[in-house]
């Protein structure tokens, strides 16, 4: 792998021990994947932020990376943490966990990372342009960046994303290269989904069919989708199919560069029903936890929650998960007062998957197919998916 003089200097430790370790990670990855050069990145999204995921070993590693005062070279945002940084007590977070989570955030802050703690960096100013090379780690955001924004990123792990942030580079392989962005299979969608939940179900239906194939699907049959629908779809197809990039007419900026591959699979109404039924395992009477915001809610979604909750009271634990900047706008617009008066709770900077709530609830209701997957796999909750509005109304039942 060819390194520039600056990159070689980093590798030799001339810019400090942290940047040396970072360049070692990147050059090792580059060798493994056959990269010929490093590419400059315009932004980074780091995952592995929740102390529940990192533990003491992960925190030790982060602290070592922060020890020599090295700072990130490009705009770097963080994935959700394990708690609401300002309001963790309301969510029933253990004080010791809060102390440990704050030690993690301190380490990131020492490296100059913006403590945004959201899986929707593209909603809060980390918004790459068409063709920009970035190094993002959150799978839903990776899929969104590649497929909707036309930026280029592999799905980084936490360490490789941090290494890219500290050096400003990522090895040129995978989805950074034209040849790996070509569609490999056509997916004909015979239904027109509506709403975040149906786009999540569609992501599962396609993802289940593609699983393990490392495909780049060329999706036909979808004419238009909203930001919120695409956010949900990206999270779901990345979760169930491992998809980092799809092409969709009218959505993907690069789609006109390609023709639909000959190999075709169809997604029918029956496929959608089957996928939905797998996400509706819990009985609604069992539901004791309601969560919206996987991925984090947009301001329009928060506004809709406020509209639906006005004058009502929720009867179950109800978390609204979003980013801090969106919450600030919700405060300003008056949505927060309406939502909290109804008894629902904002869970800002975190989410129902990375917060330490394993086993705390019996059954979760959501509009998110990705949240359903992790509710079961990680937190041992039964789950049920419904349309966004119905989730809010059911929380009041
Ligand atoms: Fe975001 Fe948590 Fe879902 S990180 S995509 S809200 S699992």
């Amino acid at each position: 792998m060819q390194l520039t003089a600056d990159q070689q200097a980093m590798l030799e430790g001339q810019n400090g021990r942290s940047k040396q370790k970072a360049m070692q990670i990147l050059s090792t990855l580059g060798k493994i994947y056959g990269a010929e050069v490093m590419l400059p990145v315009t932004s980074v999204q780091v995952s592995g932020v929740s102390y529940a995921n990192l533990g003491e070993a992960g925190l030790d590693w982060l602290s070592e990376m922060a020890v020599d005062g090295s700072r990130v070279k490009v705009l770097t945002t963080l994935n959700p943490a394990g708690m609401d940084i300002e309001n963790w007590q309301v969510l029933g977070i253990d004080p010791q966990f809060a102390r440990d989570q704050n030690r993690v955030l301190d380490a990131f802050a020492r490296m100059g990372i913006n403590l945004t703690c959201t899986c929707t960096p593209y909603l809060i100013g980390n918004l790459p342009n068409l063709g920009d090379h970035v190094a993002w780690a959150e799978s839903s955001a990776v899929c969104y960046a590649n497929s909707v924004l036309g930026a280029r990123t592999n799905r980084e792990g936490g360490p490789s994303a941090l290494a890219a942030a500290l050096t400003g580079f990522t090895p040129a392989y995978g989805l950074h290269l034209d040849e790996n962005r070509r569609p490999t299979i056509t997916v004909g969608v015979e239904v027109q989904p509506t709403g975040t939940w149906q786009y999540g179900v569609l992501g599962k239906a396609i993802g289940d069919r593609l699983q393990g194939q490392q495909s780049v699907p060329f999706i036909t049959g979808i004419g238009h989708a909203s930001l919120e629908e695409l956010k949900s779809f990206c999270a779901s197809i990345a979760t169930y199919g491992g998809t980092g990039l799809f092409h969709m007419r009218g959505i993907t900026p690069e789609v006109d560069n390609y023709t639909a591959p000959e190999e075709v699979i169809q997604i029918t109404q029956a496929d959608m029903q089957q996928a939905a039924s797998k996400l509706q395992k819990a009985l609604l009477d069992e539901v004791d936890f309601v969560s919206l915001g996987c991925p984090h809610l947009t301001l329009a979604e928060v506004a809709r929650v406020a509209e639906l909750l006005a004058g009502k009271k929720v009867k179950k634990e109800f978390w609204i998960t979003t980013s801090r900047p969106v919450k600030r706008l919700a405060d300003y617009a008056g949505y927060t007062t309406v939502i909290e008066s109804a008894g629902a709770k904002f869970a800002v900077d975190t989410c129902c998957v990375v917060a330490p709530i394993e086993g705390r609830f019996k059954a979760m209701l959501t509009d998110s197919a990705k949240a359903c997957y992790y509710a079961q796999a990680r937190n041992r909750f039964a789950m049920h998916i419904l349309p966004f509005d119905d989730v809010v109304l059911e929380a009041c039942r």
Side-chain angles (χ1 to χ4, degrees), residues 171-334:
Y173 72 94
L175 293 176
H176 290 285
L177 305 180
D178 287 344
E179 61 261 35
N180 298 321
R181 297 180 70 87
R182 277 196 285 272
T184 56
I185 187 166
T186 300
V187 178
V189 178
E190 296 179 3
V191 292
Q192 185 60 56
T194 321
T196 49
W197 83 294
Q198 283 195 2
Y199 271 86
V201 169
L202 177 64
K204 175 171 169 53
I206 298 174
D208 284 350
R209 296 278 289 276
L210 299 180
Q211 209 171 26
Q213 292 180 31
Q214 297 274 316
S215 326
V216 176
F218 187 105
I219 300 169
T220 64
I222 305 285
H224 172 77
S226 69
L227 187 167
E228 287 80 6
E229 289 167 338
L230 289 168
K231 168 170 76 79
S232 176
F233 179 70
C234 288
S236 181
I237 196 168
T239 297
Y240 292 97
T243 302
L245 164 66
F246 61 81
H247 298 283
M248 204 186 260
R249 282 224 170 86
I251 303 290
T252 309
E254 294 162 77
V255 74
D256 291 337
N257 299 347
Y258 304 108
T259 50
E262 281 179 13
E263 185 185 352
V264 179
I265 58 170
Q266 296 292 341
I267 299 296
T268 64
Q269 186 61 37
D271 294 322
M272 290 289 282
Q273 279 163 353
Q274 191 184 39
S277 70
K278 289 183 187 162
L279 301 176
Q280 292 178 321
K281 295 288 189 196
L283 299 173
L284 287 178
D285 285 343
E286 290 179 316
V287 168
D288 55 355
F289 181 46
V290 180
S291 185
L292 286 173
C294 175
H296 276 173
L297 293 187
T298 63
L299 186 63
E301 289 176 311
V302 176
R304 181 65 182 153
V305 174
E307 192 179 350
L308 290 165
L309 284 182
K312 298 194 178 75
K313 289 283 176 202
V314 302
K315 305 270 173 44
K316 301 164 179 99
E317 180 83 2
F318 185 6
W319 286 15
I320 315 290
T321 67
T322 192
S323 64
R324 184 66 55 191
V326 168
K327 167 67 165 40
R328 293 267 190 267
L329 291 171
D331 296 347
Y332 186 65

Side-chain angles (χ1 to χ4, degrees), residues 36-118:
E36 292 177 2
V37 292
M38 295 281 180
L39 295 165
V41 292
T42 57
S43 82
V44 172
Q45 162 80 354
V46 173
S47 68
V49 180
S50 173
Y51 183 78
N53 294 344
L54 280 171
E56 209 51 31
L59 175 55
D60 282 349
W61 184 79
L62 273 184
S63 303
E64 272 175 41
M65 294 301 277
V67 84
D68 71 355
S70 290
R71 294 180 65 86
V72 296
K73 306 261 281 198
V74 293
L75 173 67
T76 302
T77 52
L78 286 185
N79 225 27
M83 64 183 197
D84 185 313
I85 298 170
E86 295 182 2
N87 215 13
W88 51 268
Q89 294 95 335
V90 170
L91 304 180
I93 301 295
D94 177 68
Q96 182 58 48
F97 181 89
R99 279 191 287 277
D100 291 333
Q101 184 62 72
N102 281 327
R103 288 162 62 216
V104 171
L105 296 172
D106 284 349
F108 282 126
R110 285 201 297 282
M111 289 183 267
I113 295 177
N114 196 318
L115 304 185
T116 44
C117 299
T118 181

Side-chain angles (χ1 to χ4, degrees), residues 17-27 65 163 166-167:
R17 181 76 185 115
S18 299
K19 294 204 183 205
Q20 182 180 33
K21 277 198 248 175
M23 193 49 90
Q24 283 168 346
I25 291 171
L26 298 176
S27 57
M65 294 301 277
L166 288 168
T167 61

Side-chain angles (χ1 to χ4, degrees), residues 79-80 119 138 140 235 293-296 321 350-354 370-371 374:
N79 225 27
C119 49
E138 157 57 33
S140 64
C294 175
H296 276 173
T321 67
T350 187
C351 79
C352 64
V353 170
V354 297
K370 175 174 180 176
Y374 285 104

